[in-house]
Amino acid sequence: MINYPPRISLAQTPTPLHPLKRLQESIGGPLIWLKRDDLTGAVLSGNKVRKLEFIAAKAKQQACSALITCGGIQSNHCRATALVAAQLGFKCHLILRGIPSDQQLSDGNQLLDELSGCTISYHKPAEYFTHLDDIFAEVSKGFAERGDKALVIPTGGSDGDGLWGYIAACEELKKDFAQHQINPSVIITASGSGGTQAGLVVGAQLFDLAATVYGINVCDDEDYFVSKIAADIQEWQQKYPEQAKQLNCQPDQSKDLINIIDGYVGKGYGIASDAVIDTIRLLARTEGIVLDPVYSGKAFNGLLMEIANGRFNSSADATPENIVFIHTGGVFGLFAFKEQFAAAKS
Ligand SMILES: *Cc1c(COP(=O)(O)O)cnc(C)c1O
């Protein structure tokens, strides 16, 4: 048994795990099971809520009264953090990358951020990328001057604490697999800041899942994610030495457990190709499930391309493999892509 650190219940869990039978009938290939983490809540939906259960508990434990985090204008993580802050009575400040134009009305996640009553500062990408630490320090100082202690939450809530979210999800997956009497060989997620994959890698070891964990990166490249995820795992090992003993992995060995499928970033983070838009349409039409263009849709499109190229595809006479894809949510980000959906009508 694993000793969890303090946790505040925020996510609607367990989320369903179900097979995409109609998709398989339509395109063939292995059976893909979807772990519906898009259903962790209505507006608190997606993968970030699982991480925030542990991050918010840490904030309470450290007697913080405010949360600060950062991300793109359509960041799902920022939206989830702002709403969690409102729910639990924290003040909240979001450091967002990009300057919205005057004519543009707030859409998707940004609209929800504003509803939550948090404060927001917008920064030019060049300033954001070079001075993020300074911006965090300045916002923290502002809170301190007003008598508030703020917890700084890194991009995507991906660090040694946020990692617990997907360790706990692996305990849930273990029960799902027993209930459905399956033993999947593969678990796949979109990787954006790496914390989901880091948690899955550690959790799969701790709960003895037979599956190999793969991340399909939606930005940066394989080298970046291998180092980033290994660093998050190391931080977790240092912060939680008791639990790390059960991991049976030396801090310098975690890189061997990190599998990245690179090649589906396309033109960059937050830019979706027409193939991604088509994949989103395909799943909506065959299964009534909506992916997002930035993360889950881009990664799912990558998975379908890998399968089409023969990966994860069992030979005709073998039992079809079971693949688990984590639907990490992101539906609100979809609405910021309405022009592209209109242009690619079919
Ligand atoms: C943040 C996010 C991801 C990526 O998760 P990381 O833990 O940051 O790698 C995937 N999908 C959605 C919808 C997200 O918001």
Side-chain angles (χ1 to χ4, degrees):
M1 277 294 99
I2 286 292
N3 257 332
Y4 287 97
R7 175 180 187 176
I8 297 173
S9 171
L10 297 168
Q12 304 298 315
T13 52
T15 58
L17 175 75
H18 57 73
L20 300 180
K21 292 218 171 110
R22 286 171 50 77
L23 181 73
Q24 192 190 36
E25 275 163 26
S26 147
I27 63 169
L31 187 58
I32 302 171
W33 294 70
L34 213 55
K35 180 63 173 167
R36 297 293 305 276
D37 281 5
D38 56 322
L39 300 179
T40 50
V43 283
L44 271 190
S45 60
N47 60 341
K48 303 308 183 307
V49 193
R50 286 191 187 268
K51 306 179 186 188
L52 284 164
E53 292 199 332
F54 295 95
I55 294 169
K58 183 177 114 172
K60 287 268 183 220
Q61 199 181 24
Q62 297 185 352
C64 293
S65 52
L67 307 177
I68 312 172
T69 196
C70 66
I73 289 188
Q74 286 302 329
S75 164
N76 298 302
H77 163 68
C78 288
R79 176 253 310 157
T81 304
L83 292 165
V84 163
Q87 180 179 335
L88 299 177
F90 289 107
K91 290 167 190 162
C92 179
H93 183 90
L94 301 179
I95 297 166
L96 297 185
R97 183 180 68 245
I99 313 269
S101 73
D102 292 342
Q103 303 86 353
Q104 235 172 337
L105 295 174
S106 301
D107 204 341
N109 286 303
Q110 187 196 1
L111 180 65
L112 295 170
D113 294 345
E114 289 173 2
L115 270 181
S116 78
C118 68
T119 53
I120 304 176
S121 56
Y122 295 97
H123 304 266
K124 291 193 182 114
E127 182 210 359
Y128 179 98
F129 286 120
T130 52
H131 288 93
L132 189 57
D133 289 348
D134 301 335
I135 302 169
F136 266 116
E138 204 171 305
V139 176
S140 297
K141 193 167 151 243
F143 272 121
E145 281 166 4
R146 295 187 297 275
D148 284 303
K149 183 177 173 193
L151 181 76
V152 166
I153 305 172
T155 309
S158 291
D159 63 8
D161 298 305
L163 212 133
W164 279 108
Y166 275 83
I167 295 177
C170 283
E171 183 168 14
E172 198 177 304
L173 281 170
K174 191 168 178 88
K175 289 182 193 145
D176 293 337
F177 297 169
Q179 190 197 333
H180 293 286
Q181 297 183 306
I182 54 171
N183 198 10
S185 51
V186 173
I187 298 174
I188 301 196
T189 183
S191 274
S193 61
T196 301
Q197 189 175 347
L200 289 171
V201 164
V202 172
Q205 298 288 312
L206 292 177
F207 294 103
D208 222 6
L209 305 181
T212 305
V213 175
Y214 292 88
I216 299 183
N217 56 308
V218 302
C219 55
D220 298 289
D221 60 13
E222 180 177 0
D223 283 351
Y224 170 80
F225 276 98
V226 171
S227 325
K228 169 70 169 71
I229 291 168
D232 285 355
I233 294 176
Q234 249 181 55
E235 187 190 320
W236 178 83
Q237 288 175 305
Q238 278 156 11
K239 277 189 174 165
Y240 302 96
E242 277 309 307
Q243 293 94 330
K245 274 187 208 152
Q246 284 172 258
L247 185 59
N248 195 22
C249 168
Q250 296 303 313
D252 58 345
Q253 285 176 343
S254 60
K255 280 193 175 167
D256 302 341
L257 301 171
I258 301 165
N259 303 294
I260 301 289
I261 300 176
D262 199 351
Y264 297 100
V265 177
K267 291 200 170 134
Y269 172 76
I271 304 173
S273 66
D274 289 347
V276 171
I277 301 291
D278 288 347
T279 292
I280 292 172
R281 249 190 207 114
L282 173 69
L283 212 65
R285 288 175 185 186
T286 53
E287 298 279 358
I289 289 167
V290 179
L291 301 166
D292 81 290
V294 181
Y295 298 98
S296 55
K298 198 177 251 193
F300 199 84
N301 179 59
L303 170 59
L304 295 187
M305 310 245 296
E306 289 293 305
I307 290 171
N309 290 332
R311 193 163 183 164
F312 309 132
N313 216 349
S314 45
S315 61
D317 52 316
T319 348
E321 285 193 69
N322 287 304
I323 290 182
V324 175
F325 183 87
I326 314 282
H327 187 340
T328 42
V331 68
F332 302 114
L334 183 81
F335 296 96
F337 282 75
K338 47 184 170 293
E339 277 94 3
Q340 199 178 340
F341 277 94
K345 265 207 179 96
S346 65

